Amino acid sequence: MAVVVTGIGWVSALGQNAPETWQRLLRGDSAIALRQPFKALPPRPLAMIGKRPSDLNALLWTAVTDAVTDAQLSLPLPNCGVVIGSSRGYQRDWEAALASEQVAAWLEHLPHMGAMTVARHLASQGPVLSPMAACATGLWAIAQGADLIRAGQCEQVLVGAGEAPITPLALTGFEQMKALAQTGCYPFDEQREGLVLGEGAAVLMLESEAAARARGAKVYGHFLGAGLTADANHISAPDAVSQQGGLSALHTCLRRSQLLPEDVSFIHAHGTSTRLNDAYEATLIQKVLPSTTWVTGTKGATGHTLGASGAMGVAACLLSLNQQVLPPCTGLRTAAFDLNLVTQATSASLSTALCMSFGFGGQNAMVAFRR
């Protein structure tokens, strides 16, 4: 059963909705700035939506509302499935509760409650899933939602992820790992120095093609397939020696999408701006895809939204396919790898897109879409 995307909701530090975020991406803008949200911690480059750290539910509600409206649907949606994930969930609320010794509302802040809150918002009585796969969470959500439609469980599934990761523990943890950038985010650059945390959410309305056509819905793109694997190698570092997990995910995605490597118009890379990830990802692309394949990434503009980053990457892919233009790899100054990197907004003939995500613990996720 064919699966299509009929609605996009996207909130980020670049913009409060998909059109605003997209236009600023094309301009090459960056939302990253030196911020100090916690007095006990030093200033850091961050991509924050407001002056204070965001609330996860608020991010999800904005993206969900926009996705439903963009799909020209209205609430309630009792038969719509929900697959909404987050890698950090309500960590911000837990840290605040523990600091004040007030944990009475703990049931509302369990890891899966983002998906349940969205389901209640829709009045959904369909399947509700809440994947948590580190930075691959967003792509996992999209793949699981597509599987629900293909299995005949639903005609419509709201999928995506949100992240509100600006917390004292998150900043301290990444600092201890020496993963945080000191000045900014420069994906695939010779001087890349680490990731920059960002806030945001992206939600898509998936539908069976038959249901979408029957109601005359506009279609952003067709979901083709996914590849999902794990390295079983290290708590944080990718398997840079064999790259077996990443290669398996990539080949599986291409096979299930019925694509040859030369069929891929462009790649939205994970592009975290860390020394290990960028090198790993560049080598993976070079091993499988033609050297002419366009490569871009958006974390230099939005920051790294962890579990939401894959869903945000797919939103960018769909808008690229829809408008036949590629956003630049913001933050790139001097390329460290022999890739066909997008350095400015570029019009191109685009038929298919591949989005990549990699997460701690060796999570590898790829999804493909066609125009």
Side-chain angles (χ1 to χ4, degrees):
M1 184 182 295
V3 178
V4 300
V5 179
T6 59
I8 299 175
W10 186 5
V11 57
S12 74
L14 272 183
Q16 286 294 315
N17 51 55
E20 184 181 351
T21 296
W22 178 243
Q23 289 306 313
R24 292 195 65 194
L25 273 177
L26 293 181
R27 290 202 303 263
D29 293 349
S30 176
I32 294 171
L34 198 65
R35 307 290 288 271
Q36 189 179 16
F38 309 107
K39 292 182 179 179
L41 299 176
R44 280 286 183 190
L46 297 170
M48 294 176 63
I49 292 173
K51 293 183 178 180
R52 295 184 177 182
S54 295
D55 173 75
L56 178 60
N57 281 345
L59 294 175
L60 290 175
W61 287 340
T62 298
V64 166
T65 300
D66 286 354
V68 171
T69 301
D70 189 39
Q72 297 183 317
L73 294 167
S74 57
L75 303 182
L77 293 170
N79 298 315
C80 183
V82 174
V83 188
I84 298 292
S86 178
S87 75
R88 296 277 163 165
Y90 294 96
Q91 180 178 319
R92 167 182 172 270
D93 301 272
W94 276 101
E95 288 184 46
L98 290 171
S100 63
E101 298 183 356
Q102 300 291 326
V103 293
W106 67 276
L107 279 173
E108 297 179 7
H109 297 121
L110 293 176
H112 69 289
M113 288 307 292
M116 295 304 301
T117 299
V118 170
R120 290 199 300 266
H121 183 65
L122 302 180
S124 170
Q125 298 174 357
V128 180
L129 303 176
S130 180
M132 184 177 280
C135 298
T137 297
L139 296 193
W140 262 99
I142 292 167
Q144 287 183 317
D147 283 346
L148 287 175
I149 293 175
R150 287 175 164 176
Q153 291 275 356
C154 310
E155 292 283 351
Q156 299 171 331
V157 184
L158 202 63
V159 301
E163 208 75 82
I166 311 298
T167 77
L169 179 58
L171 288 170
T172 303
F174 281 114
E175 172 63 25
Q176 288 296 311
M177 292 178 63
K178 302 187 184 303
L180 290 181
Q182 300 296 315
T183 65
C185 181
Y186 318 115
F188 300 109
D189 194 88
E190 285 185 353
Q191 302 302 317
R192 66 193 186 280
E193 55 184 43
L195 63 87
V196 172
L197 288 177
E199 303 172 321
V203 172
L204 311 176
M205 179 59 75
L206 299 186
E207 298 189 55
S208 70
E209 185 176 28
R213 298 299 184 194
R215 67 182 188 87
K218 70 176 183 292
V219 171
Y220 283 100
H222 288 68
F223 174 86
L224 295 179
L228 307 164
T229 66
D231 289 350
N233 174 64
H234 190 271
I235 191 171
S236 60
D239 181 5
V241 178
S242 74
Q243 294 195 314
Q244 182 177 349
L247 287 169
S248 177
L250 180 49
H251 286 302
T252 299
C253 181
L254 292 174
R255 185 179 68 254
R256 295 189 66 186
S257 302
Q258 298 184 341
L259 293 174
L260 298 173
E262 55 267 29
D263 294 331
V264 177
S265 300
F266 73 99
I267 296 166
H268 185 285
H270 195 49
T272 59
S273 185
T274 58
R275 306 302 295 185
L276 288 179
N277 178 84
D278 286 10
Y280 175 89
E281 192 170 14
T283 302
L284 198 68
I285 292 169
Q286 290 166 338
K287 282 183 178 180
V288 180
L289 282 300
S291 61
T292 54
T293 306
W294 290 105
V295 179
T296 191
T298 51
K299 290 181 176 61
T302 66
H304 190 354
T305 55
L306 305 181
S309 63
M312 291 172 65
V314 168
C317 286
L318 291 165
L319 292 169
S320 287
L321 291 172
N322 194 252
Q323 299 184 20
Q324 296 289 280
V325 61
L326 293 162
C329 190
T330 304
L332 175 65
R333 299 170 296 189
T334 304
F337 308 97
D338 187 17
L339 298 171
N340 191 18
L341 290 157
V342 184
T343 57
Q344 60 183 358
T346 302
S347 296
S349 178
L350 308 171
S351 59
T352 55
L354 186 68
C355 188
M356 297 181 168
S357 286
F358 303 94
F360 282 169
Q363 291 277 2
N364 309 292
M366 324 271 176
V367 296
F369 286 84
R370 70 171 172 83
R371 187 183 180 194

